[in-house]
Amino acid sequence: MRKEVLSHIQYSGWKYFVVLLASILFWTTVFSALAHPKAHEKVSISCFVDELEIGLINERLNAEKESITAQKLKVISVENFPSGDPMLGVLLAMRKITSDILIVSENVLALNPSGSAQVDPKTFIPFSREKLEELLEGKVENLDFYYVEGYAVGIYLNKEDGTSGRFGDFYKGNERCVAFLSNESVNLGSLYDIGDPSNRAALDVLVYLLTK
């Protein structure tokens, strides 16, 4: 009997190994999927800005996320890259903003890009200024829009005189910075009519950065 069992293991053991490995991979995938926040459970912000205190902005947004928005978020994630990083041009060439909000230093925006560090703002998707103002419900006064050929495509986070809302707590540079909104975000309410209109956490984060 022992000899038969050993023989069986010797010639069929690989099958048990494959089953065990498949089981491990399956449950690893399941647990990873459960741990990774869904699109409506996080707000992501990509910044191409110099002199941004990335650690502080991440810490503050996550510490205050429950007071910033009523939407149940697991995390608010902010990534920062140098303002001249060529990846920005690649993303825009693909017409793909992979985060809910994209913040760009104005010095890399040019209607007629001549350098590798400059991008054409005409690649950004316009939105309805009236609809955005309606969604913000008067929470921000005197929104300063960034226009391209008469269309609103972004919002300035700081003014020409250098003053700003909470964004100024994290940004120590002199350039004006513009926030662009992804038309694929599910966290912008009904701005682009995507997903549940009650999911507006990205708008709430924008309000937080624009106000004191």
Side-chain angles (χ1 to χ4, degrees):
M1 181 67 178
R2 183 172 178 274
K3 185 177 181 180
E4 291 176 353
V5 171
L6 291 174
S7 178
H8 176 74
I9 292 174
Q10 180 180 356
Y11 292 104
S12 302
W14 66 272
K15 296 180 183 178
Y16 295 106
F17 176 76
V18 169
V19 171
L20 178 62
L21 182 61
S23 179
I24 292 172
L25 289 173
F26 171 76
W27 286 110
T28 299
T29 302
V30 169
F31 287 129
S32 177
L34 291 173
H36 190 70
K38 297 181 176 64
H40 66 275
E41 295 176 332
K42 66 176 181 179
V43 169
S44 57
I45 305 172
S46 295
C47 305
F48 288 81
V49 174
D50 299 321
E51 298 187 68
L52 181 70
E53 296 187 7
I54 188 67
L56 181 60
I57 191 172
N58 268 299
E59 177 185 343
R60 190 82 61 80
L61 286 172
N62 282 283
E64 300 181 28
K65 65 179 182 293
E66 291 183 1
S67 61
I68 292 173
T69 180
Q71 189 173 324
K72 299 298 182 184
L73 296 178
K74 290 184 177 180
V75 66
I76 300 175
S77 172
V78 185
E79 291 183 293
N80 192 39
F81 308 91
S83 62
D85 194 311
M87 185 171 71
L88 177 60
V90 174
L91 287 174
L92 296 181
M94 296 168 60
R95 300 186 72 81
K96 186 78 171 176
I97 298 178
T98 55
S99 54
D100 296 290
I101 300 173
L102 175 65
I103 299 176
V104 179
S105 179
E106 192 179 28
N107 68 337
V108 300
L109 298 172
L111 288 173
N112 297 297
S114 56
S116 60
Q118 291 185 308
V119 297
D120 190 342
K122 287 187 286 187
T123 55
F124 292 106
I125 306 297
F127 54 81
S128 167
R129 191 188 75 175
E130 292 75 15
K131 194 167 189 177
L132 180 61
E133 290 175 333
E134 179 184 335
L135 287 169
L136 296 184
E137 301 169 352
K139 294 179 180 178
V140 182
E141 295 182 0
N142 303 317
L143 280 170
D144 194 357
F145 291 97
Y146 182 88
Y147 292 95
V148 174
E149 298 180 348
Y151 295 99
V153 297
I155 305 100
Y156 282 103
L157 292 175
N158 48 356
K159 300 187 182 300
E160 288 183 296
D161 62 6
T163 60
S164 65
R166 289 186 186 88
F167 181 71
D169 296 344
F170 317 114
Y171 176 62
K172 304 307 177 185
N174 298 316
E175 290 287 338
R176 297 194 75 185
C177 297
V178 186
F180 298 96
L181 308 173
S182 170
N183 66 321
E184 296 183 5
S185 171
V186 299
N187 297 310
L188 290 170
S190 58
L191 184 63
Y192 289 111
D193 295 318
I194 294 177
D196 186 340
S198 65
N199 290 340
R200 44 170 298 147
L203 290 178
D204 295 331
V205 170
L206 181 64
V207 169
Y208 176 86
L209 294 174
L210 287 168
T211 58
K212 282 288 191 182

